[in-house]
Structure formats: structure tokens, C-alpha cells
Amino acid sequence: MTEQATGAHHPQPRPRSGGQSAPVEHVTGAQSLIRSLEEVGADTVFGIPGGAILPAYDPLMDSTRVRHVLVRHEQGAGHAATGYAQATGRVGVCMATSGPGATNLVTPIADAHMDSVPMVAITGQVASKAIGTDAFQEADIVGITMPITKHNFLVTKAEDIPRVIAQAFHIASTGRPGPVLVDIAKDALQAKTTFSWPPTMDLPGYRPVTKPHAKQIREAAKLITAARRPVLYVGGGVIKARATAELKVLAELTGAPVTTTLMGLGAFPDSHELHVGMPGMHGSVTAVTALQKADLIVALGARFDDRVTGKLDSFAPYAKIVHADIDPAEIGKNRAADVPIVGDAREVLADLIQAVQREHAEGNRGDYSAWWKDLNRWRETYPLGYDQPGDGSLSPQQVIERIGQLAPEGTVFAAGVGQHQMWAAHFIQYDKPATWLNSGGAGTMGYAVPAAMGAKAGAPDRAVWAIDGDGCFQMTNQELTTCALNNIPIKVAIINNGALGMVRQWQTLFYNQRYSNTVLHSGPGADAGEKSAGTRVPDFVKLSEAMGCYAIRCEDPADLDKVIEEANSINDRPVVVDFIVHEDAMVWPMVAAGTSNDEIMAARDVRPDFGDNEDD
């Protein structure tokens, strides 16, 4: 991603390379750290103090430019930094102490790495002379996180802090974004040093390629105009490159169908006539089938992951592949590319538009009329939908759909992981980028509440809804206390089916309805005699109220709109709504793990019939 692209909302100040005279101040390493954070434009840090990082917290108290949000668990700090970054486009920052504080950041760091989120994690470390001695609260966090960071640093000298912080923010936010860890020894924070800005950056091996090769662009344009059944396969990289406007121009110029991945939702308007839905294990029938039947796939900032391809050797058997990505390691990793393009998605799209226009001027224009006839037939025959429960209980899909329909314009939705995540992807309409936050690659339960907190902290003028499951909610709900105490009024919808819903769905389909360890509490899913509100364990309404939230329970479909509108009207504290939904609702469509996308099921025991004439 280009530096211009990373800070479209709020430009991230960048240190300049090369020696440049600046006033020199005499400070401690800790003061130097806080000053460096101010200079790179970090305005919010999520963290918890502890022994090794404590020196940094003293000057942090005096900073007027950096707000610190005291979280309740370091995992919450990491996911909040991710939510902040995804909602704002700026680098998210989290901070923790050594040992268990640092290791509690491992999950959100891995999560940010899988989803290419720009994040800087700052950890304290034991004094440099104690490193390697198994000192109290020592953990080799640099070694632990090496496979799940874009880069990481161990700082043992105070004078290195400004340079390392400048480099960390630069690496995190340029090229393919990702998490960078900065581990600072306690004695480096305590030592006296000097501070001047900007530092001289020293990154000789770091040169992300942003400008695509002209020959590859020309080849791609020729394939697009020659194809009969093309698909634009759009991933999260298009959002990160701020390339959504260019994508819309290319799609409308070519008339090719667009499918947006789970990480790419909002890159292209869901409501656009060219959009055929989300691909993947739980993708729309049209999107999954379009990729299978395509003769050309133009992959933009997407990585051909297993959830999209299904059984890899049967994926898109007739398709040539144009694969554009900022990260050359992704190209050819899972599927060989006929035309590999390394570059920033915004620049790739801008050049592709011009190349396609040249092809059109020469009389080369793709005829996709027969293709759209097929696509529209699939769309009409196998639309997304759901059945209302026969017992009069709440449908989880309807709950999520109505939250989306009644939310204020520009609302950001953060989802946990599981059935509710898939329903939120399908039944809320995303027409703009940075309105859908989720844990795509890692699939981290517990992501939603802290990510929503981070998004709201970074974009306080926007409404933020966390769509969470009762399983996910019980992993990180303590951050509601953080929200209540720091004036971060998020809204949380608990889609409460009393079970680990996605695991239960698999047990229903593949394990003969043997529900081993998926019933969570004595609400839905337990014995009928235990379903009264007085015996719920936990009682999410009482729990949320104890953490300073306004809490409501909704069980009757007749109350649904009234409850959602009540939640939308309260903006002076966090709001939690416990939606008691039917326990047996399932996510459809579905491609079973390890099977071919050709075996997609539109609903239970319903396999789409595509006829025999579409494989020519």
C-alpha cells in the first residue's frame, strides 16, 4: 500500500529519511517513547501498565496528544487497536508489560497479521542484563511473535527508541499492512538520552513495490476484453489501498460481475447490480458458482484462501487467473497465476482502467450477455433467505437484518466469529468501505466487543454495533467496563442461542446431532424448565448492567423493532441487547469443509441445479 493510500482519512505523519537538524532534548527513554508516539501521529493507545512498561506510563500521564484507554485484558487492547485501525485507516496502537502482559497480545497480533491490519504493539521487557535468565515476568515475546508479525524489534538502548518507533509505524502502514512488535527493555526506558525528530530511518531491505508492471497490465486488459465469463474477485486489499472508487470504475467499464470476500465487504456496494455476493464456504450460490464457471478470474487484493476455494484442485477449473497483490508472496501461493501483477491495488486498478479503455478504443470489448443471463438466473433461483422459526421465537437472521436496516447511516458493524458473523455478512448491506469489521483469517472468538470499542474510540461520531454470539461475548465482555468508564458508547447485540452455534451446526450435519460440549448456559438449549429469565447463567442483562451498560432482553419478534430503536436512541453509555433466538437456525448456503465448491448446498438437502450447458 502506498504511503498516500494509508492515511486517506487522517494522514499519518511520516518521519523523513536523512539527517536533518532538529532541536535536541534531554529526556529519559520513556519520555522519548511518548514523544515519538506523538510525532508519528498516534492519538490513542489501548493498554495496561505493569512492572517492565511502568516507566513509560509516567510521561504518558503528561501527554496532551496521546489518549490512553485502560483496558481490562491485554487481548482487549490488541483487538481494540485492530478495530481502531480498520475503522480509521490509521495505525492502531496497544501497549502491555512483559511476560503474561505481552503473551496476552499474541492472539490479537496473530489476528492482525492474518487480516493485514496496521498495528504497533509496544511491550515492556525485563532489564537488558536480565534477558535470558528467566527473570520474573520474562518471556521472549520477540521470538514468540516472529511468525505472526510483519517485523519486530527488541530495543535495549534508549537512543534507539525514536528510530525504531518511526520504522515500526512505517513498516506497519506501508506495503501490505500488518502488525509490528516493539519490545523495550526496562533499563532502556529508564536511561537518560536525547530526543530529536525526525530520526534517520534505516530500512535498506524494505522497498514495497507499488507500481505495477505495464506489460502485465496490458496482458490483463487483453484477457478481460477477450473473456466470456469473467469475475472480479475482490479482497480486503482493495479497502486497505483506498481503491474502492477505482474498483467501481473498472467494474462499470467492463460490466463484469464482482464478488467481494468476507474481508472485502464494502469494497464494492452490495446494492450494485454488478455485485453477485460473497464467495466461500458460506458464500452466496451465485458468487460461488460464478467463480466455478468463470473463464477468467481477476483477483484484486485477495489470497485464494481455503474458505473461498474449497477443495483447491477443483476450484475454478476453466479459469485463467490474473492475480494482483501488493505482497509478491501471495501470488501463486495457492493458485498459479497466468498474469501475476505485483503492486498497490489503487495503482493496479488505475492502470487497468486505462488499459481496458485502450482495448475498447481498438474495438476489443467483452460480450458478457450470455454470462449475465446465467448469473441472473442463479440470483433469482437461489437468493439468500431464511425461514421463520415455527415456534414463534426470534429468527437470528431477522434480528441481524433489522439491526442493519434500522441503524443510522454510516454505522460500523463489528462481528464476532461463527453463525452470527456469517448472517451479519449476508443480511446487512455494506455499501461503503470500513463499515464491516471482523476476524476473517484467524476467526478469533472474542473479537467483536473490543474491536467495536476501538472503532468507536477512533470514529466517535459514527454509530458502532457489535454483532456477537453468546459464546464470543463471554470471552471479552469485560471491555464493556472499559467502554462505560471511557465514554465509548458502543451497542452490542448478543445473538443468544445458548450454544456455540457454528460448532452445533456441524454437529447437527456431520456428527449425528451429538451435541458434545456446545450448550453454553441454562437459557435456550437447556431443559425447558430452566428457560425462565430467573435461572439464566449467566444473565447477560444483569452482567451488562453491572459493567455500567444499559441492557435489554428481547425474546418476542413483536418487540424487535421497538427494542432496536430504543438501543439506537441511547448514546450516553454502552447498550447491550440480549436477543434470545431460535437454537436450530443454520447458516446457508454451505460448502462442507474439504469438499469442492461444486457441491455447494443452497439449503439443507437442497443442491442447486445448474443444468448441463454451462460447462462448455
Side-chain angles (χ1 to χ4, degrees):
M1 191 186 303
T2 62
E3 292 192 23
Q4 293 82 5
T6 52
H9 291 321
H10 301 273
Q12 189 87 36
R14 297 284 180 221
R16 295 180 293 278
S17 297
Q20 196 170 343
S21 59
V24 174
E25 302 171 48
H26 294 277
V27 294
T28 64
Q31 289 171 317
S32 177
L33 170 63
I34 303 308
R35 286 296 312 277
S36 298
L37 289 173
E38 291 175 342
E39 292 298 331
V40 294
D43 58 16
T44 307
V45 173
F46 303 91
I48 304 181
I53 197 67
L54 197 57
Y57 272 80
D58 188 63
L60 183 57
M61 191 175 185
D62 299 324
S63 176
T64 57
R65 293 161 63 185
V66 178
R67 174 193 189 190
H68 182 270
V69 176
L70 176 62
V71 298
R72 267 48 193 171
H73 190 288
E74 290 88 358
Q75 183 180 352
H79 291 317
T82 295
Y84 173 98
Q86 289 177 309
T88 67
R90 305 194 293 268
V91 176
V93 188
C94 55
M95 194 147 69
T97 197
S98 63
T103 58
N104 279 343
L105 288 176
V106 169
T107 294
I109 289 171
D111 183 272
H113 187 251
M114 287 285 277
D115 288 347
S116 305
V117 179
M119 182 173 91
V120 171
I122 299 165
T123 52
Q125 184 53 277
V126 299
S128 53
K129 288 183 179 175
I131 293 175
T133 69
D134 290 335
F136 177 66
Q137 286 193 334
E138 182 188 0
D140 178 13
I141 196 63
V142 166
I144 290 167
T145 61
M146 199 164 283
I148 54 167
T149 50
K150 190 175 176 185
H151 194 69
N152 59 29
F153 299 89
L154 173 62
V155 182
T156 57
K157 296 178 181 176
E159 60 264 30
D160 293 339
I161 290 173
R163 174 182 56 80
V164 168
I165 293 296
Q167 292 178 175
F169 275 73
H170 178 71
I171 292 168
S173 61
T174 55
R176 179 180 184 171
V180 177
L181 177 103
V182 180
D183 193 34
I184 309 176
K186 186 172 184 178
D187 54 326
L189 291 170
Q190 293 170 319
K192 291 287 187 183
T193 185
T194 57
F195 177 82
S196 64
W197 196 271
T200 301
M201 288 207 297
D202 181 26
L203 295 168
Y206 183 66
R207 295 284 183 272
V209 174
T210 59
K211 186 70 177 166
H213 196 287
K215 179 176 179 292
Q216 305 300 86
I217 293 289
R218 285 196 301 273
E219 289 299 315
K222 284 188 171 73
L223 286 178
I224 290 169
T225 52
R228 291 169 55 211
R229 301 189 301 275
V231 178
L232 301 182
Y233 160 43
V234 175
V238 169
I239 294 176
K240 291 175 176 66
R242 303 278 182 267
T244 54
E246 289 82 356
L247 171 64
K248 191 163 182 279
V249 171
L250 179 69
E252 292 176 347
L253 177 66
T254 61
V258 180
T259 178
T260 46
T261 68
L262 184 66
M263 293 305 299
L265 294 179
F268 190 78
D270 279 358
S271 58
H272 199 288
E273 62 183 0
L274 296 177
H275 192 252
V276 294
M278 181 180 81
M281 172 179 270
H282 291 295
S284 74
V285 169
T286 309
V288 172
T289 309
L291 289 172
Q292 286 301 96
K293 307 286 188 186
D295 64 359
L296 175 68
I297 293 174
V298 181
L300 300 161
R303 58 192 179 86
F304 292 92
D305 68 288
D306 63 297
R307 280 301 191 258
V308 166
T309 64
K311 189 178 178 187
L312 189 59
D313 60 11
S314 69
F315 173 70
Y318 318 110
K320 288 189 174 180
I321 304 293
V322 174
H323 192 177
D325 204 287
I326 189 81
D327 184 356
E330 284 298 340
I331 296 175
K333 184 178 81 175
N334 294 328
R335 173 70 179 253
D338 297 279
V339 180
I341 304 174
V342 178
D344 174 66
R346 184 190 245 177
E347 298 204 31
V348 169
L349 281 161
D351 288 359
L352 261 181
I353 290 164
Q354 292 184 339
V356 170
Q357 286 171 333
R358 283 193 293 271
E359 288 291 318
H360 287 180
E362 293 170 13
N364 303 322
R365 187 180 289 270
D367 179 5
Y368 313 144
S369 53
W371 183 220
W372 272 108
K373 192 175 172 185
D374 288 340
L375 293 166
N376 286 327
R377 187 174 76 252
W378 302 334
R379 274 206 285 214
E380 289 161 16
T381 310
Y382 304 106
L384 290 171
Y386 54 90
D387 295 323
Q388 294 288 359
D391 61 0
S393 58
L394 272 176
S395 151
Q397 299 98 319
Q398 184 183 20
V399 169
I400 292 168
E401 186 173 53
R402 290 304 289 158
I403 288 172
Q405 289 166 347
L406 295 173
E409 189 175 352
T411 294
V412 175
F413 298 92
V417 168
Q419 289 182 316
H420 63 279
Q421 175 191 26
M422 295 297 105
W423 290 324
H426 281 314
F427 296 110
I428 296 174
Q429 185 167 290
Y430 304 98
D431 282 344
K432 292 182 179 172
T435 54
W436 164 249
L437 319 180
N438 84 125
S439 171
T444 307
M445 290 179 68
Y447 168 91
V449 168
M453 175 175 74
K456 185 68 174 175
D461 295 336
R462 299 173 74 179
V464 179
W465 269 98
I467 310 291
D468 219 358
D470 47 324
C472 290
F473 182 73
Q474 290 183 78
M475 293 194 171
T476 51
N477 61 45
Q478 66 270 22
E479 299 310 333
L480 288 172
T481 303
T482 310
C483 292
L485 294 176
N486 289 275
N487 189 29
I488 304 174
I490 65 170
K491 304 179 197 306
V492 182
I494 306 172
I495 308 302
N496 184 356
N497 62 359
L500 297 171
M502 189 64 90
V503 186
R504 178 186 165 88
Q505 175 167 333
W506 282 48
Q507 289 171 334
T508 301
L509 296 173
F510 308 121
Y511 292 90
N512 298 316
Q513 300 180 347
R514 287 165 55 83
Y515 299 120
S516 172
N517 290 282
T518 45
V519 175
L520 283 173
H521 57 73
S522 58
D527 293 335
E530 292 188 2
K531 286 190 179 180
S532 68
T535 60
R536 293 187 182 279
V537 180
D539 184 323
F540 290 133
V541 169
K542 290 179 180 177
L543 179 64
S544 302
E545 287 174 345
M547 290 188 282
C549 302
Y550 185 86
I552 326 166
R553 180 172 288 116
C554 182
E555 302 185 65
D556 188 340
D559 297 333
L560 181 59
D561 283 15
K562 181 183 71 175
V563 167
I564 294 170
E565 285 165 350
E566 183 181 357
N568 281 329
S569 71
I570 297 166
N571 294 299
D572 61 349
R573 71 198 107 154
V575 180
V576 177
V577 188
D578 184 18
F579 290 102
I580 309 300
V581 301
H582 195 272
E583 67 185 3
D584 288 325
M586 291 195 190
V587 179
W588 298 104
M590 181 177 181
V591 178
T595 67
S596 168
N597 283 353
D598 290 326
E599 297 176 45
I600 187 170
M601 303 296 286
R604 192 166 185 181
D605 302 323
V606 178
R607 176 157 292 157
D609 178 9
F610 300 112
D612 298 317
N613 61 340
E614 287 144 5
D615 293 353
D616 325 328

